[in-house]
Amino acid sequence: MGGWAIAVHGGAGVDPNLPLQRQEDAKMLLTRCLDLGIHALRSNSSAIDVVELVVRELETDPLFNSGRGSALTEEGTVEMEASIMDGPKRRCGAVSGLTTVKNPISLARLVMDKSPHSYLAFSGAEKFAREQGVELECNDYFVTEENVGMLELAREANSIWLDYRVPTNEKCSASVETPLQMNGLPISVYAPETVGCVVVDSQGRCAAATSTGGLMNKKIGRIGDSPLIGSGTYACGVCGVSCTGEGEAIIRGTLAREVAAVMEYKGLGLQEAVNYVIEERLDEGKAGLIAVSSNGEVVCGFNTTGMFRGCATEDGFMEVGIWK
Ligand code: GLY
């Protein structure tokens, strides 16, 4: 057993011109979340409790795209989604289409622990949230002024944005030499999105959690990779994985499960498995992931310009970064 390890992400696909202050704010938030997780792990919390705790913190801060500060749909509303998975017994819970739940990741946990199902969406998920008595918020809590402005820009450009952290249209077009497309529509890829956390605890139990508002200007009803077990999130006896990036590409590659599969069936180590999956299963420039193995390794991998990320291990290693 290699001791505990933790990794967090605040999204892949970072604008290379992202203002320095923004970069510093992101790194501070990631550091705070890592510290929170480390403290919980040192107090013997289980991997599943730690991933939920850390993702709740990320959802509550409006900096990244989840919970408060979620990206907006084409109609200016939020439709949040999340999933969580507990490796040892491969238990999981997922939610989509949330409009009032303050912490979607905790509702996903309740689906796993307190419902007979694995995945609840839209009105059914909201009804379950009310039954469970989770904290609810009105629309104004989730919709930030900045996101309203970004939605307007996205609409003007007839563009679906991975996120909304590119401050102006000019900056967006300056960063993208050949506009990238998703199913024929232009997208901006140089921005962060989605949050996630993976943990292996000192007993070698792995867990993973992912939460997002999805894409700016997305269609009503669009579901991305984040709530899909095996695509955006996966945990089992050998590893825990949380993905971030263009959901449609991650879904096509069943990215998170693929990391576990090549470890299980090809006998690869965690670093080799992550490299293999990014190389073989993911279109260039689309996404990234964080992963831990049951023997205490931690790996962050991505093929975008950057990925907001941080990781730490029991032996004192800690790192927070954005670029390659
Ligand atoms: N990876 C987040 C999304 O595409 O919704």
Side-chain angles (χ1 to χ4, degrees):
M1 206 72 68
W4 57 253
I6 177 170
V8 291
H9 71 71
V14 185
D15 176 4
N17 301 316
L18 196 70
L20 279 178
Q21 187 56 51
R22 208 66 193 235
Q23 298 183 31
E24 288 311 310
D25 291 348
K27 286 199 245 177
M28 268 169 58
L29 175 56
L30 291 166
T31 304
R32 193 174 87 219
C33 288
L34 271 184
D35 285 341
L36 188 71
I38 290 167
H39 180 77
L41 283 161
R42 285 188 180 142
S43 310
N44 285 324
S45 294
S46 65
I48 190 72
D49 286 343
V50 178
V51 293
E52 182 188 354
L53 178 79
V54 170
V55 170
R56 277 179 68 93
E57 186 74 10
L58 288 159
E59 287 174 339
T60 303
D61 192 299
L63 189 73
F64 294 129
N65 169 13
S66 66
R68 181 153 184 252
S70 279
L72 304 176
T73 68
E74 60 187 354
E75 295 183 2
T77 54
V78 292
E79 288 187 351
M80 299 170 287
E81 42 195 17
S83 66
I84 191 164
M85 189 156 185
D86 190 15
K89 290 190 179 158
R90 286 186 287 122
R91 298 163 63 244
C92 60
V95 286
S96 282
L98 301 180
T99 53
T100 67
V101 176
K102 185 178 179 203
N103 290 110
I105 199 66
S106 292
L107 191 66
R109 174 87 190 257
L110 286 166
V111 170
M112 176 174 89
D113 288 343
K114 299 273 167 63
S115 89
H117 305 301
S118 300
Y119 191 176
L120 293 174
F122 296 92
S123 58
E126 290 283 340
K127 180 169 180 266
F128 180 68
R130 290 192 296 276
E131 286 164 5
Q132 293 296 320
V134 302
E135 204 173 340
L136 305 178
E137 293 286 352
C138 62
N139 202 48
D140 290 354
Y141 168 84
F142 300 103
V143 179
T144 62
E145 204 177 305
E146 186 187 7
N147 287 355
V148 171
M150 289 298 163
L151 177 62
E152 269 167 35
L153 291 178
R155 279 177 178 152
E156 278 166 24
N158 185 29
S159 168
I160 295 169
W161 288 4
L162 274 190
D163 194 75
Y164 48 94
R165 304 298 175 192
V166 183
T168 67
N169 252 342
E170 296 79 63
K171 193 160 268 182
C172 173
S173 48
S175 316
V176 184
E177 282 167 20
T178 314
L180 284 150
Q181 301 214 325
M182 182 168 66
N183 298 335
L185 283 173
I187 55 166
S188 162
V189 292
Y190 298 121
E193 48 88 40
T194 304
V195 303
C197 180
V198 291
V199 166
V200 54
D201 62 27
S202 51
Q203 294 181 46
R205 296 173 297 197
C206 296
T210 313
S211 181
T212 191
L215 309 183
M216 182 60 78
N217 203 21
K218 67 182 179 180
K219 287 199 166 302
I220 290 282
R222 180 262 186 188
I223 290 173
D225 61 296
S226 303
L228 300 183
I229 296 297
S231 290
T233 304
Y234 193 74
C236 60
V238 298
C239 66
V241 183
S242 170
C243 300
T244 166
E246 188 189 303
E248 283 69 9
I250 297 168
I251 292 169
R252 285 196 296 277
T254 52
L255 226 54
R257 169 61 198 156
E258 226 34 26
V259 172
V262 293
M263 291 180 78
E264 287 171 353
Y265 301 139
K266 279 173 84 79
L268 300 188
L270 187 70
Q271 180 74 63
E272 287 174 300
V274 169
N275 292 348
Y276 179 88
V277 167
I278 291 178
E279 192 69 31
E280 300 295 327
R281 293 287 177 269
L282 183 61
D283 299 340
E284 188 51 37
K286 295 291 188 185
L289 59 87
I290 53 175
V292 287
S293 72
S294 57
N295 53 19
E297 298 159 300
V298 60
V299 172
C300 303
F302 53 99
N303 67 12
T304 48
T305 315
M307 179 169 81
F308 290 104
R309 63 195 186 277
C311 59
T313 55
E314 190 168 352
D315 59 14
F317 170 79
M318 181 163 166
E319 190 175 69
V320 171
I322 301 178
W323 313 111
K324 278 196 173 137

Coordinates of all heavy atoms in Angstrom, one line a residue, residues 193-194 212 214-215 222 224-226 245-247, ligand 1:
E193 N -13.2 24.6 -17.4 CA -14.5 24.2 -17.1 C -14.5 23.0 -16.2 O -13.5 22.4 -16.0 CB -15.3 23.9 -18.4 CG -14.6 23.0 -19.4 CD -14.8 21.6 -19.2 OE1 -16.0 21.2 -18.9 OE2 -13.9 20.8 -19.3
T194 N -15.7 22.7 -15.6 CA -15.8 21.5 -14.8 C -14.9 21.4 -13.6 O -13.7 21.9 -13.7 CB -15.7 20.3 -15.7 OG1 -16.6 20.4 -16.8 CG2 -16.0 19.0 -15.0
T212 N -20.3 19.8 -12.9 CA -20.2 20.9 -14.0 C -21.5 21.6 -14.3 O -22.6 21.0 -14.0 CB -19.7 20.2 -15.3 OG1 -19.3 21.3 -16.2 CG2 -20.8 19.4 -15.9
G214 N -21.7 22.4 -17.4 CA -21.7 22.0 -18.9 C -21.1 23.1 -19.7 O -20.2 23.9 -19.3
L215 N -21.6 23.3 -20.9 CA -21.1 24.3 -21.9 C -21.9 25.5 -21.9 O -23.1 25.5 -21.8 CB -21.1 23.7 -23.3 CG -20.5 22.3 -23.5 CD1 -20.5 21.9 -24.9 CD2 -19.0 22.3 -22.9
R222 N -29.1 19.2 -22.9 CA -27.8 18.6 -23.3 C -27.2 18.0 -22.0 O -27.1 18.6 -21.0 CB -26.9 19.7 -23.9 CG -25.5 19.1 -24.3 CD -24.5 19.4 -23.2 NE -23.1 19.0 -23.7 CZ -22.1 19.0 -22.9 NH1 -22.2 19.4 -21.7 NH2 -20.9 18.6 -23.4
G224 N -23.6 16.2 -20.7 CA -22.2 16.0 -21.1 C -21.7 14.7 -20.5 O -22.4 13.8 -20.1
D225 N -20.3 14.6 -20.4 CA -19.7 13.4 -19.8 C -19.7 13.4 -18.3 O -19.6 12.3 -17.7 CB -18.2 13.4 -20.3 CG -17.5 14.7 -19.7 OD1 -17.8 15.8 -20.1 OD2 -16.6 14.5 -18.9
S226 N -19.8 14.6 -17.7 CA -19.5 14.6 -16.2 C -20.5 13.7 -15.4 O -20.0 13.1 -14.4 CB -19.6 16.0 -15.7 OG -18.7 16.8 -16.4
G245 N -13.2 18.6 -20.1 CA -12.9 19.0 -21.4 C -14.2 18.9 -22.2 O -15.3 19.0 -21.7
E246 N -14.0 18.7 -23.5 CA -15.2 18.6 -24.4 C -16.0 17.3 -24.1 O -15.5 16.2 -24.5 CB -14.8 18.7 -25.8 CG -16.0 18.9 -26.8 CD -15.6 18.8 -28.2 OE1 -14.8 19.6 -28.7 OE2 -16.2 17.9 -28.9
G247 N -17.2 17.4 -23.5 CA -17.9 16.2 -23.1 C -18.2 15.3 -24.2 O -18.1 14.0 -24.0
Ligands
GLY1 N1 -16.8 18.2 -19.6 C1 -18.0 18.9 -19.3 C2 -19.0 19.0 -20.3 O1 -18.7 18.8 -21.5 O2 -20.1 19.2 -20.0

